[in-house]
Amino acid sequence: MPVRSTSRRTSLLLTAAAVLAAAGWTAVGPSGRQAGAAPHHRAPEPAAAATVCAPAGTLRGPGGQHALVSLCANGGGAGTSLSAPATCRRTGTSVRYACLTSGTWTLRREGRTVATGPLPGGRETPGPGTYDVSGTVHVRSSPAGVDLRGTVRAKLTLTDPKPVPTHRIEVDRRTLRTHATATLTYTVARDSEAGDGSARFGLIGEETSGVELTTSDSRCVNPLTGRHPSTARSMYALDCALTDLQPGRPATVVVRARVAHACTSVVSKLGYWMPRGQSLYTGGMLAGPTVTCRSTESPGH
């Protein structure tokens, strides 16, 4: 039965944020910037870390196995993720078990699915409100003795507003075809005054498809693979270091995608910095558009 979370107000921000770990390495003075430096638009300070949990259900198994599972949202700092901590017990034994939980979560509002992800893990916030959260969980114990699977449910109230986007990625076409080469023009823009012009733009196709992503743009490379002195590169991936993103001055990256006989999608992402002095974990990851693929093979081929 869904259980309403505790009533204390907790600031939560549900985001996918896998943050980049190198921001603002220059020394700063008491004012937050170097002497003589131009005024710097600093990213807003993150909310204080906080966790809200709700009892979500009990899983039972043979031999007296049972696990009391909660669903939790951990917020503040670099972002928020959902987790499913559990307490494991087994009737007739005095062993103190530690619980290991994994699985997936689904966030629904008014019957509509608004986000899904792994346990533990997060996604971009859907905005404030009360959400029905379900978790399909696998609970194991250490030492061994409890091994249970099942679905648990709870209600959690998120209070953080949906964040204002700071960056965006656009592409001029959304479909590739097999046995063909297509030109993809990506536009990467920074719309926020906060932060700086640094970002890491990446594209990747499916490794086994044989797709080749190439460009004449000097800011981009196909990543090296293998141990030195190997010069082999991943032709299905492209990595671009952008350093001059400014509001009103987007960057354009032109890519040639050669698709062989196997279809593949090409996904894009952007890692960006939002420096706050010498703070280490300041930034985020933005998912860009996915370019899909259509096979030109005849149905009977």
Side-chain angles (χ1 to χ4, degrees):
M1 176 180 295
V3 181
R4 186 173 297 275
S5 64
T6 56
S7 60
R8 74 183 169 87
R9 183 176 179 83
T10 306
S11 179
L12 297 175
L13 175 62
L14 195 62
T15 179
V19 291
L20 301 180
W25 288 109
T26 55
V28 295
S31 65
R33 62 185 178 93
Q34 291 175 291
H40 181 62
H41 295 282
R42 293 164 62 90
E45 292 296 331
T51 301
V52 61
C53 295
T58 301
L59 304 180
R60 303 181 186 277
Q65 300 178 62
H66 62 280
L68 280 67
V69 185
S70 297
L71 288 170
C72 297
N74 182 55
T80 298
S81 64
L82 293 184
S83 60
T87 301
C88 295
R89 295 190 179 88
R90 186 161 188 161
T91 303
T93 179
S94 60
V95 175
R96 296 175 65 87
Y97 293 109
C99 275
L100 309 174
T101 60
S102 59
T104 60
W105 57 264
T106 300
L107 202 67
R108 295 183 176 87
R109 189 173 188 179
E110 298 177 351
R112 182 176 64 88
T113 298
V114 295
T116 61
L119 282 170
R123 289 291 185 272
E124 183 179 351
T125 179
T130 299
Y131 294 87
D132 295 303
V133 187
S134 62
T136 301
V137 298
H138 181 195
V139 180
R140 295 168 295 147
S141 67
S142 178
V146 176
D147 192 330
L148 299 168
R149 297 176 185 268
T151 299
V152 294
R153 295 179 174 83
K155 285 185 181 292
L156 293 177
T157 299
L158 310 182
T159 59
D160 267 3
K162 193 175 181 67
V164 177
T166 61
H167 295 70
R168 54 189 165 86
I169 306 170
E170 298 171 352
V171 66
D172 64 341
R173 63 183 299 161
R174 292 300 186 94
T175 305
L176 302 174
R177 294 183 181 274
T178 53
H179 306 289
T181 299
T183 299
L184 303 173
T185 301
Y186 287 89
T187 301
V188 181
R190 169 181 155 226
D191 298 319
S192 172
E193 295 288 342
D196 61 25
S198 298
R200 198 70 169 268
F201 177 54
L203 303 173
I204 189 167
E206 296 173 43
E207 181 176 0
T208 59
S209 67
V211 65
E212 293 185 0
L213 303 175
T214 59
T215 182
S216 60
D217 196 316
S218 61
R219 299 170 297 178
C220 306
V221 295
N222 297 100
L224 279 168
T225 60
R227 292 175 60 88
H228 179 76
S230 171
T231 59
R233 294 184 179 272
S234 300
M235 299 308 295
Y236 61 90
L238 203 60
D239 188 5
C240 305
L242 308 179
T243 58
D244 55 1
L245 291 177
Q246 294 176 293
R249 186 191 184 190
T252 299
V253 179
V254 179
V255 178
R256 287 172 58 84
R258 188 182 70 82
V259 182
H261 64 279
C263 248
T264 177
S265 59
V266 175
V267 301
S268 58
K269 57 186 176 180
L270 186 76
Y272 56 89
W273 287 260
M274 300 292 279
R276 284 186 292 271
Q278 291 181 317
S279 296
L280 188 61
Y281 297 106
T282 60
M285 292 291 288
L286 172 68
T290 296
V291 178
T292 59
C293 179
R294 181 177 301 171
S295 175
T296 58
E297 300 284 0
S298 62
H301 189 72

